[in-house]
Amino acid sequence: MSAPRQIIMVRHGQSAANIDQTLYNRIPDYRIPLTEQGVAQAKAAGEQIRRRLDGQKVCVYVSPYLRAYQTLEALNLGDLVERTMEEPRLREQDWANFQNPAEIADQKELRNAYGHFFYRFREGESGSDVYDRVSSFMETLYRHWSKPDYAPNTLLVTHGLTMRLFCMRWFHWSVEYFESLNNPGNAEVRALVSTTGGYALDTPFQQWTPAHPAKTVLDSPDHIW
């Protein structure tokens, strides 16, 4: 397998629903656009990514959500992009169809108590469901990387939780460690960079509570909600 020099991930820029969550009750999640600030954030991320690519080609996989496509457009990578593929497995975690803000707020409280990885939204997915589809996507990546003409870089334009779960799957992080991590900010970039010993994450995710990547449920105190 000819693995890429780096696997770059970028979260979409600020969306209209990041400002007004009542939009989830009126607009399908996948059709929610970026704000003007979100476009500006994505343009700044594009400058960072172009520096990382240093003139080399990149193969792009993009979530089918409007805010992800608009982020990719604002990155303005031009002829550095060898190929762009829409990848539904990189979509946001499914929470519901049209979302009732009060009901979602109640479920978020339950999720915080139960755990972000295993809690399943009533009309949507759990973090573990997203983990499973990310694992399936990795199998596709391996097949693509086996082609002799594959670009030397990979770019994923996706969502914050999906980025964390991609890294969890790649680096074999434990569930307890995943639970300690915060999402990256809008249009933040992370890269898995090839080294002699495999891949290394260039910038760690911030943690809201200390935890080691090998920490398991055996190391956690009893939890009763």
Side-chain angles (χ1 to χ4, degrees):
M1 181 182 70
S2 178
R5 181 172 66 91
Q6 55 187 339
I7 307 164
I8 304 169
M9 302 177 294
V10 59
R11 184 187 175 192
H12 63 80
Q14 182 190 73
S15 75
N18 291 143
I19 302 301
D20 179 9
Q21 295 196 359
T22 66
L23 291 178
Y24 289 123
N25 198 32
R26 307 193 300 276
I27 303 175
D29 191 3
Y30 70 96
R31 291 190 176 275
I32 291 174
L34 294 183
T35 62
E36 289 186 7
Q37 181 178 341
V39 172
Q41 291 170 336
K43 288 180 177 178
E47 295 177 3
Q48 179 182 350
I49 291 171
R50 285 193 297 275
R51 287 195 299 269
R52 295 197 67 100
L53 294 175
D54 194 24
Q56 292 186 333
K57 294 285 188 177
V58 62
C59 189
V60 179
Y61 302 82
V62 58
S63 159
Y65 281 40
L66 177 59
R67 55 189 179 269
Y69 265 112
Q70 290 178 328
T71 296
L72 175 58
E73 183 178 48
L75 294 178
N76 191 28
L77 300 180
D79 59 6
L80 293 176
V81 176
E82 182 174 276
R83 183 183 179 191
T84 298
M85 286 167 280
E86 181 176 283
E87 180 46 74
R89 289 170 293 184
L90 290 178
R91 69 186 185 274
E92 177 64 282
Q93 180 182 15
D94 296 329
W95 287 24
N97 294 314
F98 289 106
Q99 300 174 22
N100 181 301
E103 183 179 343
I104 291 297
D106 288 343
Q107 289 198 68
K108 283 183 176 180
E109 184 177 348
L110 289 171
R111 179 193 62 178
N112 292 340
Y114 194 88
H116 286 224
F117 188 77
F118 290 115
Y119 181 82
R120 178 174 288 109
F121 286 89
R122 293 183 191 124
E123 296 179 14
E125 295 179 297
S126 65
S128 61
D129 294 327
V130 182
Y131 178 93
D132 289 343
R133 57 175 158 87
V134 164
S135 298
S136 170
F137 169 62
M138 283 185 178
E139 295 176 2
T140 299
L141 280 181
Y142 296 144
R143 290 195 299 273
H144 289 182
W145 291 341
S146 68
K147 298 177 181 179
D149 58 347
Y150 190 88
N153 301 279
T154 295
L155 172 63
L156 315 180
V157 185
T158 184
H159 306 265
L161 179 79
T162 312
M163 288 171 61
R164 284 191 289 144
L165 288 166
F166 184 93
C167 289
M168 177 187 177
R169 176 65 179 83
W170 187 276
F171 293 113
H172 305 289
W173 292 340
S174 69
V175 170
E176 295 299 315
Y177 181 66
F178 165 80
E179 293 284 358
S180 78
L181 303 176
N182 288 320
N183 266 353
N186 289 121
E188 280 195 9
V189 177
R190 296 290 188 277
L192 283 65
V193 181
S194 180
T195 68
T196 55
Y199 281 84
L201 185 62
D202 68 334
T203 304
F205 295 101
Q206 291 186 349
Q207 292 180 277
W208 66 270
T209 187
H212 187 273
K215 179 183 178 182
T216 71
V217 67
L218 291 172
D219 306 308
S220 301
D222 292 339
H223 179 74
I224 299 175
W225 185 59

